[in-house]
Amino acid sequence: MKYRSEIDGLRALAVIPVILFHAGFEIFSGGFVGVDVFFVISGYLITTMIIEDIDNKSFSIIEFYERRARRILPALFFVMFVCVPFAWILMLPGQMKDFSQSLLAVSLFVSNIFFWQKSGYFDATAELKPLLHTWSLAVEEQYYVLFPIFLILAWRLGKNKVLFIIVVMAAISLLLSEWGWRNYANANFYLAPTRAWELFAGSIAAFITQKHGVKHNNLLASLGLIAILFSIFVYDESIPFPSVYAVLPVLGVVLLVLYADKETFAAKLLSKKAFVGIGLISYSAYLWHQPLLVFIRIKFVNEPPLFITALVVLSSFVLGYYSWKLIETPFRNRNLINKSKIFILSFSGLVLFSVFGIIGNKTNGFQYRLDQWQLDILQWEKYPRHLAYKEGDCFLGPEQNYREFKSECSSDEASILIWGDSHAAALSSGWNKLHKLSQLTASGCPPIIDLEIPSRPQCYKINQHVVNKISERKYKTVVMHAYWTSYSEEQLKGLTSTVNQLRKSGVKEIVLISGVPQYQPSL
């Protein structure tokens, strides 16, 4: 496979926005698309290597897995190993238990499934998960396991038919992602079936370039670069992802792969030493940035000062360089480490981290690290929030719809309704001790009609349902509360019209509760 320096430069264009996005630099509001750029690049490179080897009758699936193990596991294991003592020192048992479970999930190549079940990518709790970013590695690893087997089995049909099948699978995956963000947003974000089309886009580009070569087209290559940059600086967390919106950065990468030959402006720019250098260390830098950001946030309790965050970002690239030089490069050298050693080391690492993860889970995050008075304080962690919130019954999760409200949530016996997001749900237990209360609340869903929130696709219909119930039940009092500061000014504009509609529905008393006091620790 011929080396293309502009592909390494493209890797830099992927990793820099991702790191700066996770670091909280708002200008890179769409920096998360860097992961999508990585997926297309991976699909292109892996497919090119496999079909070249198959054409040359030299493909070995064992050697393929060996190359992937050399590429991925040594640096990943080293970062995981370094994370353990910091987690031990800084994390509470609950956090340590989650971290231990994530170690096991990473070792089994299913961290995307694990984090899907745990939380949303853009949730506040995601900022305290050192290995959250490995979800994308798990998607690629699952692709590495299955895609070569598919090519081997399908190759007898002929190259053109194989390409046609990949195009069909990509189309199905894209349609699935469009359906997914509307119905199962978290699953849609994390799981391979709704991400596969991005990898397949790279695979399709590989088939085309193998047959026709890389074409010279300044306009199309430049448009590809612009498409990626537009996504990075214009998209934000409100954009449903993946979805048709992801077509823009994905198509941008495909255009660069197909049309950015050495003489185009885009290729010359991406082939600059700075971009190529960052591209070479991009994998290691990506591995380091999330743990560094998480542990510094745990240490500072709140978001650290800007200069500290900037130092962490710089440290990600410095550590990335040394990981690339001292770990990645030697382990790729078959003269230094032969096939047997790489498989033994890989298997040993997987077992070691799996065992540690299992023990951490069984011991509730190595809870014995704490003395008795610390354990007494931590008992409050076990407060049955789900009972106080009425979770799953009167407080719906991100993927639940209004039909899942239980009948008692809008009781005929109650004259007061509390309506809003999780902050409103948190008030319901106290109100219930004073008055018989109805409760219709949903995660991330403020009490505002006609409001659409892409990350909470059920919110619009939930609020319509609440308004209908208010009109039907003739509540005398409606209590409205939410984590107002987490919503934009634009989103809150509908609050006035919501209050007016409640008055027209006959509500005599509307109680609007502002933000509750929040603890701000001194540092």
Side-chain angles (χ1 to χ4, degrees):
M1 179 178 175
K2 186 178 179 181
Y3 174 69
R4 296 179 61 181
S5 58
E6 65 273 15
I7 297 297
D8 274 328
L10 193 53
R11 282 194 176 110
L13 191 60
V15 76
I16 293 172
V18 169
I19 293 176
L20 293 175
F21 168 75
H22 287 156
F25 290 93
E26 293 184 3
I27 190 173
F28 293 90
S29 58
F32 53 87
V33 305
V35 173
D36 306 85
V37 174
F38 275 128
F39 283 156
V40 182
I41 293 172
S42 292
Y44 166 69
L45 294 176
I46 293 303
T47 304
T48 299
M49 287 189 288
I50 294 175
I51 60 179
E52 284 182 357
D53 285 348
I54 292 177
D55 278 345
N56 296 327
K57 295 182 170 46
S58 60
F59 179 73
S60 164
I61 198 163
I62 298 298
E63 288 187 6
F64 173 80
Y65 291 147
E66 177 198 347
R67 288 199 300 267
R68 292 300 89 205
R70 289 179 184 275
R71 174 77 173 95
I72 295 171
L73 297 182
L76 174 62
F77 285 166
F78 183 71
V79 171
M80 291 165 68
F81 179 78
V82 173
C83 282
V84 169
F86 285 94
W88 187 278
I89 294 168
L90 294 173
M91 285 184 156
L92 296 173
Q95 295 171 317
M96 188 66 178
K97 182 175 181 178
D98 284 346
F99 172 70
S100 299
Q101 292 172 344
S102 70
L103 284 175
L104 177 61
V106 173
S107 301
L108 298 177
F109 310 137
V110 291
S111 61
N112 60 329
I113 299 172
F114 172 75
F115 288 116
W116 156 51
Q117 294 177 331
K118 281 291 183 179
S119 67
Y121 184 75
F122 300 113
D123 292 351
T125 55
E127 295 185 349
L128 301 180
K129 298 183 184 298
L131 299 178
L132 176 68
H133 60 325
T134 63
W135 74 268
S136 62
L137 299 184
V139 171
E140 290 196 16
E141 287 160 350
Q142 291 154 19
Y143 169 79
Y144 296 153
V145 169
L146 298 176
F147 190 67
I149 297 172
F150 157 75
L151 283 182
I152 292 170
L153 295 176
W155 205 254
R156 68 192 69 181
L157 300 174
K159 192 180 292 188
N160 289 336
K161 288 184 179 179
V162 172
L163 175 58
F164 176 76
I165 293 171
I166 293 173
V167 170
V168 171
M169 292 192 298
I172 293 171
S173 175
L174 176 57
L175 291 173
L176 184 62
S177 73
E178 265 298 292
W179 176 84
W181 76 261
R182 291 177 170 86
N183 296 277
Y184 299 96
N186 280 353
N188 181 60
F189 188 91
Y190 283 112
L191 300 187
T194 51
R195 291 285 184 172
W197 68 273
E198 300 175 337
L199 290 150
F200 289 150
S203 298
I204 294 166
F207 275 86
I208 295 172
T209 56
Q210 200 218 20
K211 184 174 183 179
H212 300 289
V214 180
K215 299 295 184 180
H216 175 98
N217 192 312
N218 253 315
L219 176 60
L220 291 178
S222 297
L223 284 175
L225 189 59
I226 291 169
I228 297 170
L229 292 173
F230 178 89
S231 305
I232 291 168
F233 293 109
V234 176
Y235 284 5
D236 59 29
E237 296 173 18
S238 68
I239 298 292
F241 239 72
S243 65
V244 291
Y245 287 98
V247 171
L248 186 63
V250 167
L251 181 61
V253 180
V254 170
L255 288 175
L256 285 167
V257 168
L258 295 179
Y259 298 106
D261 83 343
K262 298 292 183 183
E263 299 306 313
T264 59
F265 167 78
K268 288 180 179 179
L269 178 63
L270 293 172
S271 296
K272 296 292 184 184
K273 283 187 177 181
F275 281 115
V276 173
I278 293 173
L280 288 171
I281 67 169
S282 60
Y283 174 60
S284 281
Y286 180 77
L287 288 178
W288 279 111
H289 85 279
Q290 178 72 4
L292 291 175
L293 288 168
V294 166
F295 290 128
I296 205 71
R297 282 170 177 147
I298 292 175
K299 178 65 177 174
F300 277 83
V301 182
N302 281 333
E303 196 68 23
L306 180 60
F307 79 94
I308 294 293
T309 302
L311 284 176
V312 170
V313 170
L314 180 61
S315 299
S316 300
F317 289 103
V318 172
L319 290 171
Y321 168 76
Y322 283 107
S323 289
W324 169 77
K325 184 176 180 64
L326 302 177
I327 298 172
E328 284 192 63
T329 303
F331 271 90
R332 290 190 203 177
N333 189 334
R334 294 186 176 184
N335 294 324
L336 291 176
I337 302 172
N338 61 31
K339 183 189 299 185
S340 298
K341 287 181 180 177
I342 196 67
F343 280 125
I344 290 171
L345 289 171
S346 298
F347 180 75
S348 300
L350 295 175
V351 171
L352 175 66
F353 289 114
S354 296
V355 170
F356 185 93
I358 291 169
I359 295 173
N361 180 58
K362 291 289 186 182
T363 59
N364 291 315
F366 303 98
Q367 191 168 290
Y368 55 79
R369 293 173 296 147
L370 278 61
D371 56 32
Q372 189 56 50
W373 74 268
Q374 292 171 322
L375 292 173
D376 290 342
I377 293 173
L378 282 176
Q379 288 301 311
W380 289 100
E381 271 195 324
K382 299 177 183 176
Y383 178 76
R385 191 191 75 171
H386 65 285
L387 296 178
Y389 279 40
K390 297 185 179 178
E391 282 185 328
D393 295 335
C394 305
F395 173 60
L396 303 182
E399 296 180 357
Q400 291 182 281
N401 63 61
Y402 70 91
R403 295 184 183 88
E404 297 180 66
F405 279 127
K406 296 293 188 289
S407 58
E408 60 267 22
C409 300
S410 50
S411 170
D412 287 326
E413 301 174 10
S415 62
I416 300 173
L417 169 72
I418 189 163
W419 174 25
D421 59 13
S422 60
H423 282 230
L427 298 178
S428 62
S429 180
W431 276 75
N432 262 319
K433 295 186 185 303
L434 300 174
H435 305 281
K436 179 68 176 176
L437 185 74
S438 287
Q439 176 190 340
L440 295 171
T441 53
S443 170
C445 189
I448 300 173
I449 56 173
D450 297 329
L451 175 64
E452 295 193 16
I453 302 177
S455 62
R456 294 292 189 271
Q458 303 296 333
C459 187
Y460 178 88
K461 290 184 178 179
I462 287 171
N463 283 336
Q464 291 294 330
H465 171 77
V466 175
V467 171
N468 291 338
K469 285 294 180 184
I470 291 171
S471 179
E472 176 188 323
R473 295 282 192 262
K474 303 297 182 185
Y475 290 106
K476 293 180 180 178
T477 303
V478 173
V479 179
M480 302 167 65
H481 181 47
Y483 185 20
W484 304 114
T485 57
S486 69
Y487 305 108
S488 69
E489 186 176 338
E490 185 67 27
Q491 290 174 322
L492 296 177
K493 281 183 178 178
L495 192 56
T496 301
S497 60
T498 301
V499 171
N500 291 335
Q501 182 159 335
L502 294 183
R503 285 174 177 158
K504 290 178 182 177
S505 299
V507 179
K508 293 181 178 179
E509 185 179 30
I510 299 170
V511 180
L512 190 64
I513 300 178
S514 64
V516 296
Q518 297 207 12
Y519 172 62
Q520 296 293 331
S522 59
L523 300 176

